[in-house]
Amino acid sequence: MSSDPAPDEVLGYMLIFTGLQFIPYIVALVLMNGPNPIKGLLLNFVYRPDLPPVGIEGAAWAKRSAAAQKENTTAMVIFAPAVFLYMIRHSCVDTPCYDDIKGAAMGFLIARTVHYVFLVGPIGSPQPIPVIPTVSFLASIACSMYIIFMALSFEADDDIL
């Protein structure tokens, strides 16, 4: 990761981060299903109503991890189009035009990382750490809204279009 990433690079990092968030709860799923951890994984591939449910309900942090991944995916639904909208409307070819939204993009990445860490952790605890996930969620939405407003406030020259 470069020290001053462009917003589209931040978007790539956020996609990687969100894509890797399934690992903790899949590992919990495999490990919580008896002495043979592969059994739990295989039982999730078949429908057997005569067997007890196989899931992540046994660990509260694993359920929070799954929920945090879903929330990060939802946040990406706003952030990714905001960055693309900015890139399209500012259509700069020769000069970087991202300076206006670099801070907001990094703020989004930091807020989503903080949200995930404090919503899930600490692993093994029965409850998440309160307030911080809510504040970081609102901060990430504010960053996305800022990027959208910056994209929509730009008036393109007739030469560009």
mmCIF file of all heavy atoms in Angstrom, residues 55-107:
data_model
loop_
_atom_site.group_PDB
_atom_site.id
_atom_site.type_symbol
_atom_site.label_atom_id
_atom_site.label_comp_id
_atom_site.label_asym_id
_atom_site.label_seq_id
_atom_site.Cartn_x
_atom_site.Cartn_y
_atom_site.Cartn_z
ATOM 1 N N GLY A 55 -23.750 -24.439 12.383
ATOM 2 C CA GLY A 55 -23.605 -23.023 12.088
ATOM 3 C C GLY A 55 -22.667 -22.348 13.051
ATOM 4 O O GLY A 55 -21.948 -22.996 13.806
ATOM 5 N N ILE A 56 -22.719 -21.040 13.039
ATOM 6 C CA ILE A 56 -21.827 -20.248 13.871
ATOM 7 C C ILE A 56 -22.521 -19.713 15.114
ATOM 8 O O ILE A 56 -21.997 -18.839 15.792
ATOM 9 C CB ILE A 56 -21.232 -19.087 13.059
ATOM 10 C CG1 ILE A 56 -22.336 -18.206 12.473
ATOM 11 C CG2 ILE A 56 -20.298 -19.590 11.993
ATOM 12 C CD1 ILE A 56 -21.827 -16.978 11.763
ATOM 13 N N GLU A 57 -23.684 -20.252 15.427
ATOM 14 C CA GLU A 57 -24.445 -19.762 16.570
ATOM 15 C C GLU A 57 -23.755 -19.997 17.903
ATOM 16 O O GLU A 57 -24.061 -19.366 18.895
ATOM 17 C CB GLU A 57 -25.853 -20.383 16.603
ATOM 18 C CG GLU A 57 -26.772 -19.898 15.498
ATOM 19 C CD GLU A 57 -26.460 -20.539 14.151
ATOM 20 O OE1 GLU A 57 -25.828 -21.619 14.114
ATOM 21 O OE2 GLU A 57 -26.814 -19.940 13.138
ATOM 22 N N GLY A 58 -22.795 -20.909 17.931
ATOM 23 C CA GLY A 58 -22.118 -21.237 19.174
ATOM 24 C C GLY A 58 -21.150 -20.168 19.665
ATOM 25 O O GLY A 58 -20.775 -20.153 20.824
ATOM 26 N N ALA A 59 -20.749 -19.287 18.808
ATOM 27 C CA ALA A 59 -19.806 -18.234 19.199
ATOM 28 C C ALA A 59 -20.381 -16.880 18.798
ATOM 29 O O ALA A 59 -20.598 -16.621 17.610
ATOM 30 C CB ALA A 59 -18.455 -18.445 18.531
ATOM 31 N N ALA A 60 -20.600 -16.042 19.786
ATOM 32 C CA ALA A 60 -21.192 -14.722 19.518
ATOM 33 C C ALA A 60 -20.293 -13.890 18.611
ATOM 34 O O ALA A 60 -20.774 -13.174 17.730
ATOM 35 C CB ALA A 60 -21.448 -13.998 20.834
ATOM 36 N N TRP A 61 -18.966 -13.993 18.794
ATOM 37 C CA TRP A 61 -18.064 -13.191 17.967
ATOM 38 C C TRP A 61 -18.119 -13.616 16.513
ATOM 39 O O TRP A 61 -17.942 -12.789 15.615
ATOM 40 C CB TRP A 61 -16.629 -13.244 18.495
ATOM 41 C CG TRP A 61 -15.978 -14.587 18.344
ATOM 42 C CD1 TRP A 61 -15.939 -15.585 19.253
ATOM 43 C CD2 TRP A 61 -15.294 -15.073 17.191
ATOM 44 N NE1 TRP A 61 -15.274 -16.675 18.754
ATOM 45 C CE2 TRP A 61 -14.857 -16.378 17.479
ATOM 46 C CE3 TRP A 61 -15.003 -14.534 15.944
ATOM 47 C CZ2 TRP A 61 -14.157 -17.147 16.566
ATOM 48 C CZ3 TRP A 61 -14.304 -15.305 15.035
ATOM 49 C CH2 TRP A 61 -13.886 -16.594 15.348
ATOM 50 N N ALA A 62 -18.357 -14.909 16.243
ATOM 51 C CA ALA A 62 -18.446 -15.384 14.864
ATOM 52 C C ALA A 62 -19.698 -14.829 14.187
ATOM 53 O O ALA A 62 -19.656 -14.455 13.016
ATOM 54 C CB ALA A 62 -18.436 -16.908 14.824
ATOM 55 N N LYS A 63 -20.788 -14.759 14.933
ATOM 56 C CA LYS A 63 -22.009 -14.151 14.386
ATOM 57 C C LYS A 63 -21.779 -12.670 14.106
ATOM 58 O O LYS A 63 -22.219 -12.152 13.078
ATOM 59 C CB LYS A 63 -23.179 -14.335 15.350
ATOM 60 C CG LYS A 63 -23.695 -15.760 15.404
ATOM 61 C CD LYS A 63 -24.719 -16.012 16.473
ATOM 62 C CE LYS A 63 -25.855 -15.055 16.513
ATOM 63 N NZ LYS A 63 -26.858 -15.410 17.525
ATOM 64 N N ARG A 64 -21.068 -11.985 15.016
ATOM 65 C CA ARG A 64 -20.776 -10.566 14.800
ATOM 66 C C ARG A 64 -19.842 -10.381 13.604
ATOM 67 O O ARG A 64 -19.953 -9.410 12.860
ATOM 68 C CB ARG A 64 -20.157 -9.960 16.063
ATOM 69 C CG ARG A 64 -21.127 -9.863 17.213
ATOM 70 C CD ARG A 64 -20.605 -8.989 18.324
ATOM 71 N NE ARG A 64 -19.281 -9.332 18.799
ATOM 72 C CZ ARG A 64 -19.016 -10.125 19.835
ATOM 73 N NH1 ARG A 64 -20.010 -10.665 20.524
ATOM 74 N NH2 ARG A 64 -17.777 -10.366 20.194
ATOM 75 N N SER A 65 -18.923 -11.319 13.411
ATOM 76 C CA SER A 65 -18.011 -11.246 12.270
ATOM 77 C C SER A 65 -18.780 -11.361 10.957
ATOM 78 O O SER A 65 -18.521 -10.614 10.010
ATOM 79 C CB SER A 65 -16.969 -12.357 12.368
ATOM 80 O OG SER A 65 -16.125 -12.360 11.256
ATOM 81 N N ALA A 66 -19.731 -12.286 10.908
ATOM 82 C CA ALA A 66 -20.556 -12.426 9.707
ATOM 83 C C ALA A 66 -21.383 -11.165 9.474
ATOM 84 O O ALA A 66 -21.508 -10.684 8.340
ATOM 85 C CB ALA A 66 -21.456 -13.648 9.829
ATOM 86 N N ALA A 67 -21.929 -10.602 10.547
ATOM 87 C CA ALA A 67 -22.726 -9.380 10.429
ATOM 88 C C ALA A 67 -21.853 -8.203 9.991
ATOM 89 O O ALA A 67 -22.278 -7.377 9.174
ATOM 90 C CB ALA A 67 -23.409 -9.065 11.753
ATOM 91 N N ALA A 68 -20.631 -8.122 10.500
ATOM 92 C CA ALA A 68 -19.728 -7.031 10.136
ATOM 93 C C ALA A 68 -19.353 -7.106 8.657
ATOM 94 O O ALA A 68 -19.259 -6.078 7.982
ATOM 95 C CB ALA A 68 -18.480 -7.062 11.003
ATOM 96 N N GLN A 69 -19.166 -8.317 8.151
ATOM 97 C CA GLN A 69 -18.857 -8.445 6.726
ATOM 98 C C GLN A 69 -20.035 -7.981 5.882
ATOM 99 O O GLN A 69 -19.863 -7.298 4.876
ATOM 100 C CB GLN A 69 -18.480 -9.872 6.352
ATOM 101 C CG GLN A 69 -18.069 -9.960 4.890
ATOM 102 C CD GLN A 69 -18.020 -11.344 4.330
ATOM 103 O OE1 GLN A 69 -18.698 -12.230 4.812
ATOM 104 N NE2 GLN A 69 -17.239 -11.521 3.294
ATOM 105 N N LYS A 70 -21.236 -8.333 6.298
ATOM 106 C CA LYS A 70 -22.421 -7.896 5.553
ATOM 107 C C LYS A 70 -22.550 -6.374 5.583
ATOM 108 O O LYS A 70 -22.904 -5.747 4.585
ATOM 109 C CB LYS A 70 -23.669 -8.552 6.130
ATOM 110 C CG LYS A 70 -23.751 -10.026 5.831
ATOM 111 C CD LYS A 70 -24.933 -10.678 6.508
ATOM 112 C CE LYS A 70 -24.865 -12.179 6.325
ATOM 113 N NZ LYS A 70 -25.702 -12.903 7.256
ATOM 114 N N GLU A 71 -22.252 -5.771 6.731
ATOM 115 C CA GLU A 71 -22.338 -4.312 6.823
ATOM 116 C C GLU A 71 -21.264 -3.638 5.972
ATOM 117 O O GLU A 71 -21.518 -2.596 5.371
ATOM 118 C CB GLU A 71 -22.228 -3.868 8.279
ATOM 119 C CG GLU A 71 -23.471 -4.184 9.074
ATOM 120 C CD GLU A 71 -23.424 -3.598 10.473
ATOM 121 O OE1 GLU A 71 -22.746 -2.571 10.666
ATOM 122 O OE2 GLU A 71 -24.062 -4.178 11.361
ATOM 123 N N ASN A 72 -20.068 -4.206 5.927
ATOM 124 C CA ASN A 72 -19.028 -3.634 5.067
ATOM 125 C C ASN A 72 -19.401 -3.766 3.599
ATOM 126 O O ASN A 72 -19.127 -2.864 2.804
ATOM 127 C CB ASN A 72 -17.676 -4.289 5.336
ATOM 128 C CG ASN A 72 -16.910 -3.575 6.418
ATOM 129 O OD1 ASN A 72 -17.227 -2.449 6.791
ATOM 130 N ND2 ASN A 72 -15.892 -4.220 6.935
ATOM 131 N N THR A 73 -20.016 -4.869 3.240
ATOM 132 C CA THR A 73 -20.480 -5.032 1.860
ATOM 133 C C THR A 73 -21.535 -3.988 1.539
ATOM 134 O O THR A 73 -21.529 -3.391 0.458
ATOM 135 C CB THR A 73 -21.028 -6.455 1.647
ATOM 136 O OG1 THR A 73 -20.005 -7.393 1.999
ATOM 137 C CG2 THR A 73 -21.452 -6.675 0.223
ATOM 138 N N THR A 74 -22.435 -3.738 2.481
ATOM 139 C CA THR A 74 -23.460 -2.716 2.284
ATOM 140 C C THR A 74 -22.830 -1.333 2.131
ATOM 141 O O THR A 74 -23.249 -0.538 1.285
ATOM 142 C CB THR A 74 -24.446 -2.714 3.470
ATOM 143 O OG1 THR A 74 -25.012 -4.015 3.577
ATOM 144 C CG2 THR A 74 -25.535 -1.699 3.290
ATOM 145 N N ALA A 75 -21.821 -1.027 2.928
ATOM 146 C CA ALA A 75 -21.148 0.270 2.828
ATOM 147 C C ALA A 75 -20.452 0.425 1.478
ATOM 148 O O ALA A 75 -20.389 1.528 0.928
ATOM 149 C CB ALA A 75 -20.156 0.432 3.970
ATOM 150 N N MET A 76 -19.933 -0.673 0.936
ATOM 151 C CA MET A 76 -19.283 -0.622 -0.374
ATOM 152 C C MET A 76 -20.267 -0.271 -1.486
ATOM 153 O O MET A 76 -19.880 0.288 -2.502
ATOM 154 C CB MET A 76 -18.617 -1.968 -0.682
ATOM 155 C CG MET A 76 -17.403 -2.255 0.155
ATOM 156 S SD MET A 76 -16.064 -1.114 -0.163
ATOM 157 C CE MET A 76 -15.646 -1.587 -1.813
ATOM 158 N N VAL A 77 -21.543 -0.595 -1.274
ATOM 159 C CA VAL A 77 -22.568 -0.284 -2.274
ATOM 160 C C VAL A 77 -22.713 1.222 -2.453
ATOM 161 O O VAL A 77 -23.091 1.690 -3.523
ATOM 162 C CB VAL A 77 -23.919 -0.940 -1.878
ATOM 163 C CG1 VAL A 77 -25.049 -0.460 -2.734
ATOM 164 C CG2 VAL A 77 -23.791 -2.451 -1.940
ATOM 165 N N ILE A 78 -22.368 1.991 -1.438
ATOM 166 C CA ILE A 78 -22.413 3.445 -1.538
ATOM 167 C C ILE A 78 -21.045 3.999 -1.953
ATOM 168 O O ILE A 78 -20.952 4.869 -2.811
ATOM 169 C CB ILE A 78 -22.860 4.076 -0.200
ATOM 170 C CG1 ILE A 78 -24.267 3.587 0.146
ATOM 171 C CG2 ILE A 78 -22.823 5.595 -0.262
ATOM 172 C CD1 ILE A 78 -24.686 3.924 1.550
ATOM 173 N N PHE A 79 -19.981 3.477 -1.369
ATOM 174 C CA PHE A 79 -18.642 4.017 -1.596
ATOM 175 C C PHE A 79 -18.151 3.792 -3.026
ATOM 176 O O PHE A 79 -17.642 4.724 -3.665
ATOM 177 C CB PHE A 79 -17.659 3.407 -0.594
ATOM 178 C CG PHE A 79 -16.241 3.861 -0.765
ATOM 179 C CD1 PHE A 79 -15.891 5.167 -0.483
ATOM 180 C CD2 PHE A 79 -15.258 2.988 -1.198
ATOM 181 C CE1 PHE A 79 -14.582 5.600 -0.625
ATOM 182 C CE2 PHE A 79 -13.947 3.406 -1.343
ATOM 183 C CZ PHE A 79 -13.608 4.715 -1.059
ATOM 184 N N ALA A 80 -18.265 2.579 -3.539
ATOM 185 C CA ALA A 80 -17.729 2.273 -4.872
ATOM 186 C C ALA A 80 -18.372 3.131 -5.960
ATOM 187 O O ALA A 80 -17.654 3.756 -6.748
ATOM 188 C CB ALA A 80 -17.885 0.782 -5.173
ATOM 189 N N PRO A 81 -19.710 3.227 -6.026
ATOM 190 C CA PRO A 81 -20.290 4.103 -7.050
ATOM 191 C C PRO A 81 -19.928 5.578 -6.852
ATOM 192 O O PRO A 81 -19.814 6.316 -7.825
ATOM 193 C CB PRO A 81 -21.803 3.902 -6.908
ATOM 194 C CG PRO A 81 -21.958 2.598 -6.233
ATOM 195 C CD PRO A 81 -20.752 2.450 -5.362
ATOM 196 N N ALA A 82 -19.723 5.989 -5.601
ATOM 197 C CA ALA A 82 -19.330 7.381 -5.349
ATOM 198 C C ALA A 82 -17.966 7.667 -5.973
ATOM 199 O O ALA A 82 -17.780 8.692 -6.637
ATOM 200 C CB ALA A 82 -19.303 7.652 -3.854
ATOM 201 N N VAL A 83 -17.017 6.754 -5.777
ATOM 202 C CA VAL A 83 -15.685 6.931 -6.366
ATOM 203 C C VAL A 83 -15.774 6.891 -7.885
ATOM 204 O O VAL A 83 -15.180 7.726 -8.580
ATOM 205 C CB VAL A 83 -14.699 5.862 -5.833
ATOM 206 C CG1 VAL A 83 -13.385 5.888 -6.599
ATOM 207 C CG2 VAL A 83 -14.450 6.068 -4.350
ATOM 208 N N PHE A 84 -16.528 5.953 -8.430
ATOM 209 C CA PHE A 84 -16.673 5.869 -9.887
ATOM 210 C C PHE A 84 -17.344 7.119 -10.453
ATOM 211 O O PHE A 84 -16.948 7.622 -11.506
ATOM 212 C CB PHE A 84 -17.460 4.624 -10.290
ATOM 213 C CG PHE A 84 -16.703 3.338 -10.068
ATOM 214 C CD1 PHE A 84 -17.362 2.209 -9.632
ATOM 215 C CD2 PHE A 84 -15.343 3.256 -10.281
ATOM 216 C CE1 PHE A 84 -16.677 1.020 -9.420
ATOM 217 C CE2 PHE A 84 -14.649 2.083 -10.068
ATOM 218 C CZ PHE A 84 -15.325 0.958 -9.644
ATOM 219 N N LEU A 85 -18.366 7.611 -9.774
ATOM 220 C CA LEU A 85 -19.044 8.830 -10.220
ATOM 221 C C LEU A 85 -18.067 9.999 -10.247
ATOM 222 O O LEU A 85 -18.034 10.771 -11.204
ATOM 223 C CB LEU A 85 -20.231 9.141 -9.314
ATOM 224 C CG LEU A 85 -21.021 10.408 -9.645
ATOM 225 C CD1 LEU A 85 -21.702 10.268 -11.001
ATOM 226 C CD2 LEU A 85 -22.055 10.680 -8.556
ATOM 227 N N TYR A 86 -17.256 10.112 -9.211
ATOM 228 C CA TYR A 86 -16.258 11.179 -9.171
ATOM 229 C C TYR A 86 -15.274 11.028 -10.325
ATOM 230 O O TYR A 86 -14.929 11.999 -10.997
ATOM 231 C CB TYR A 86 -15.524 11.164 -7.830
ATOM 232 C CG TYR A 86 -14.597 12.338 -7.661
ATOM 233 C CD1 TYR A 86 -15.047 13.512 -7.071
ATOM 234 C CD2 TYR A 86 -13.282 12.286 -8.102
ATOM 235 C CE1 TYR A 86 -14.206 14.601 -6.914
ATOM 236 C CE2 TYR A 86 -12.430 13.368 -7.955
ATOM 237 C CZ TYR A 86 -12.901 14.519 -7.368
ATOM 238 O OH TYR A 86 -12.070 15.598 -7.232
ATOM 239 N N MET A 87 -14.809 9.802 -10.564
ATOM 240 C CA MET A 87 -13.847 9.565 -11.642
ATOM 241 C C MET A 87 -14.435 9.900 -13.006
ATOM 242 O O MET A 87 -13.765 10.477 -13.862
ATOM 243 C CB MET A 87 -13.385 8.108 -11.606
ATOM 244 C CG MET A 87 -12.528 7.773 -10.408
ATOM 245 S SD MET A 87 -12.217 6.000 -10.219
ATOM 246 C CE MET A 87 -11.335 5.636 -11.708
ATOM 247 N N ILE A 88 -15.687 9.564 -13.216
ATOM 248 C CA ILE A 88 -16.332 9.825 -14.501
ATOM 249 C C ILE A 88 -16.566 11.315 -14.704
ATOM 250 O O ILE A 88 -16.264 11.872 -15.754
ATOM 251 C CB ILE A 88 -17.660 9.042 -14.604
ATOM 252 C CG1 ILE A 88 -17.374 7.546 -14.719
ATOM 253 C CG2 ILE A 88 -18.488 9.529 -15.780
ATOM 254 C CD1 ILE A 88 -18.596 6.661 -14.527
ATOM 255 N N ARG A 89 -17.098 11.970 -13.691
ATOM 256 C CA ARG A 89 -17.433 13.399 -13.837
ATOM 257 C C ARG A 89 -16.202 14.281 -13.908
ATOM 258 O O ARG A 89 -16.249 15.349 -14.505
ATOM 259 C CB ARG A 89 -18.329 13.832 -12.699
ATOM 260 C CG ARG A 89 -19.706 13.169 -12.833
ATOM 261 C CD ARG A 89 -20.774 13.834 -12.080
ATOM 262 N NE ARG A 89 -20.776 15.265 -12.090
ATOM 263 C CZ ARG A 89 -21.725 16.025 -12.622
ATOM 264 N NH1 ARG A 89 -22.724 15.457 -13.239
ATOM 265 N NH2 ARG A 89 -21.684 17.327 -12.520
ATOM 266 N N HIS A 90 -15.098 13.863 -13.296
ATOM 267 C CA HIS A 90 -13.885 14.675 -13.305
ATOM 268 C C HIS A 90 -12.919 14.256 -14.399
ATOM 269 O O HIS A 90 -11.846 14.840 -14.499
ATOM 270 C CB HIS A 90 -13.197 14.623 -11.932
ATOM 271 C CG HIS A 90 -13.922 15.403 -10.897
ATOM 272 N ND1 HIS A 90 -13.529 16.653 -10.523
ATOM 273 C CD2 HIS A 90 -15.033 15.126 -10.167
ATOM 274 C CE1 HIS A 90 -14.357 17.117 -9.599
ATOM 275 N NE2 HIS A 90 -15.266 16.201 -9.366
ATOM 276 N N SER A 91 -13.257 13.296 -15.168
ATOM 277 C CA SER A 91 -12.476 12.743 -16.286
ATOM 278 C C SER A 91 -11.135 13.431 -16.545
ATOM 279 O O SER A 91 -10.949 14.088 -17.549
ATOM 280 C CB SER A 91 -13.320 12.766 -17.555
ATOM 281 O OG SER A 91 -13.623 14.087 -17.927
ATOM 282 N N CYS A 92 -10.223 13.271 -15.646
ATOM 283 C CA CYS A 92 -8.889 13.843 -15.848
ATOM 284 C C CYS A 92 -7.969 12.762 -16.392
ATOM 285 O O CYS A 92 -7.912 11.664 -15.868
ATOM 286 C CB CYS A 92 -8.335 14.441 -14.576
ATOM 287 S SG CYS A 92 -8.646 13.485 -13.115
ATOM 288 N N VAL A 93 -7.296 13.089 -17.458
ATOM 289 C CA VAL A 93 -6.445 12.116 -18.130
ATOM 290 C C VAL A 93 -4.975 12.357 -17.789
ATOM 291 O O VAL A 93 -4.257 11.441 -17.407
ATOM 292 C CB VAL A 93 -6.660 12.179 -19.661
ATOM 293 C CG1 VAL A 93 -5.756 11.214 -20.378
ATOM 294 C CG2 VAL A 93 -8.107 11.933 -19.993
ATOM 295 N N ASP A 94 -4.525 13.590 -17.921
ATOM 296 C CA ASP A 94 -3.106 13.884 -17.749
ATOM 297 C C ASP A 94 -2.728 14.233 -16.309
ATOM 298 O O ASP A 94 -1.641 13.945 -15.865
ATOM 299 C CB ASP A 94 -2.696 15.043 -18.662
ATOM 300 C CG ASP A 94 -2.868 14.671 -20.123
ATOM 301 O OD1 ASP A 94 -2.731 13.487 -20.442
ATOM 302 O OD2 ASP A 94 -3.151 15.576 -20.933
ATOM 303 N N THR A 95 -3.611 14.878 -15.592
ATOM 304 C CA THR A 95 -3.278 15.323 -14.240
ATOM 305 C C THR A 95 -4.143 14.593 -13.231
ATOM 306 O O THR A 95 -5.315 14.319 -13.490
ATOM 307 C CB THR A 95 -3.518 16.839 -14.094
ATOM 308 O OG1 THR A 95 -4.883 17.107 -14.381
ATOM 309 C CG2 THR A 95 -2.635 17.615 -15.036
ATOM 310 N N PRO A 96 -3.571 14.272 -12.082
ATOM 311 C CA PRO A 96 -4.405 13.617 -11.064
ATOM 312 C C PRO A 96 -5.446 14.596 -10.523
ATOM 313 O O PRO A 96 -5.132 15.733 -10.204
ATOM 314 C CB PRO A 96 -3.405 13.212 -9.985
ATOM 315 C CG PRO A 96 -2.195 14.034 -10.229
ATOM 316 C CD PRO A 96 -2.200 14.430 -11.660
ATOM 317 N N CYS A 97 -6.646 14.149 -10.461
ATOM 318 C CA CYS A 97 -7.723 15.029 -10.000
ATOM 319 C C CYS A 97 -8.332 14.527 -8.699
ATOM 320 O O CYS A 97 -9.398 14.950 -8.309
ATOM 321 C CB CYS A 97 -8.799 15.133 -11.072
ATOM 322 S SG CYS A 97 -9.613 13.572 -11.409
ATOM 323 N N TYR A 98 -7.649 13.615 -8.039
ATOM 324 C CA TYR A 98 -8.213 12.982 -6.860
ATOM 325 C C TYR A 98 -7.934 13.714 -5.555
ATOM 326 O O TYR A 98 -8.355 13.267 -4.507
ATOM 327 C CB TYR A 98 -7.668 11.563 -6.702
ATOM 328 C CG TYR A 98 -8.007 10.638 -7.825
ATOM 329 C CD1 TYR A 98 -7.019 9.919 -8.469
ATOM 330 C CD2 TYR A 98 -9.314 10.466 -8.232
ATOM 331 C CE1 TYR A 98 -7.326 9.054 -9.492
ATOM 332 C CE2 TYR A 98 -9.635 9.600 -9.258
ATOM 333 C CZ TYR A 98 -8.632 8.900 -9.880
ATOM 334 O OH TYR A 98 -8.938 8.048 -10.874
ATOM 335 N N ASP A 99 -7.195 14.802 -5.612
ATOM 336 C CA ASP A 99 -6.781 15.464 -4.375
ATOM 337 C C ASP A 99 -7.960 15.859 -3.497
ATOM 338 O O ASP A 99 -7.854 15.852 -2.275
ATOM 339 C CB ASP A 99 -5.923 16.688 -4.685
ATOM 340 C CG ASP A 99 -4.572 16.293 -5.262
ATOM 341 O OD1 ASP A 99 -4.144 15.148 -5.022
ATOM 342 O OD2 ASP A 99 -3.958 17.131 -5.940
ATOM 343 N N ASP A 100 -9.097 16.187 -4.108
ATOM 344 C CA ASP A 100 -10.266 16.616 -3.337
ATOM 345 C C ASP A 100 -10.857 15.499 -2.480
ATOM 346 O O ASP A 100 -11.467 15.765 -1.455
ATOM 347 C CB ASP A 100 -11.370 17.144 -4.264
ATOM 348 C CG ASP A 100 -10.978 18.438 -4.942
ATOM 349 O OD1 ASP A 100 -10.060 19.108 -4.443
ATOM 350 O OD2 ASP A 100 -11.592 18.774 -5.972
ATOM 351 N N ILE A 101 -10.698 14.252 -2.913
ATOM 352 C CA ILE A 101 -11.377 13.159 -2.202
ATOM 353 C C ILE A 101 -10.424 12.126 -1.606
ATOM 354 O O ILE A 101 -10.877 11.137 -1.049
ATOM 355 C CB ILE A 101 -12.411 12.465 -3.101
ATOM 356 C CG1 ILE A 101 -11.748 11.775 -4.301
ATOM 357 C CG2 ILE A 101 -13.494 13.433 -3.530
ATOM 358 C CD1 ILE A 101 -12.664 10.830 -5.035
ATOM 359 N N LYS A 102 -9.122 12.350 -1.703
ATOM 360 C CA LYS A 102 -8.168 11.382 -1.134
ATOM 361 C C LYS A 102 -8.395 11.182 0.362
ATOM 362 O O LYS A 102 -8.405 10.067 0.857
ATOM 363 C CB LYS A 102 -6.734 11.832 -1.374
ATOM 364 C CG LYS A 102 -6.153 11.399 -2.666
ATOM 365 C CD LYS A 102 -4.679 11.772 -2.716
ATOM 366 C CE LYS A 102 -4.073 11.311 -4.012
ATOM 367 N NZ LYS A 102 -2.647 11.658 -4.079
ATOM 368 N N GLY A 103 -8.556 12.279 1.070
ATOM 369 C CA GLY A 103 -8.763 12.192 2.515
ATOM 370 C C GLY A 103 -10.042 11.463 2.870
ATOM 371 O O GLY A 103 -10.079 10.652 3.804
ATOM 372 N N ALA A 104 -11.105 11.719 2.100
ATOM 373 C CA ALA A 104 -12.382 11.052 2.364
ATOM 374 C C ALA A 104 -12.285 9.551 2.081
ATOM 375 O O ALA A 104 -12.852 8.738 2.811
ATOM 376 C CB ALA A 104 -13.492 11.682 1.529
ATOM 377 N N ALA A 105 -11.552 9.188 1.035
ATOM 378 C CA ALA A 105 -11.403 7.764 0.702
ATOM 379 C C ALA A 105 -10.613 7.031 1.791
ATOM 380 O O ALA A 105 -11.004 5.941 2.217
ATOM 381 C CB ALA A 105 -10.733 7.607 -0.659
ATOM 382 N N MET A 106 -9.521 7.641 2.242
ATOM 383 C CA MET A 106 -8.756 7.013 3.326
ATOM 384 C C MET A 106 -9.560 6.996 4.619
ATOM 385 O O MET A 106 -9.496 6.035 5.390
ATOM 386 C CB MET A 106 -7.429 7.754 3.547
ATOM 387 C CG MET A 106 -6.323 7.299 2.625
ATOM 388 S SD MET A 106 -6.048 5.522 2.604
ATOM 389 C CE MET A 106 -5.325 5.254 4.195
ATOM 390 N N GLY A 107 -10.322 8.053 4.858
ATOM 391 C CA GLY A 107 -11.195 8.092 6.029
ATOM 392 C C GLY A 107 -12.201 6.957 6.000
ATOM 393 O O GLY A 107 -12.499 6.340 7.030
#
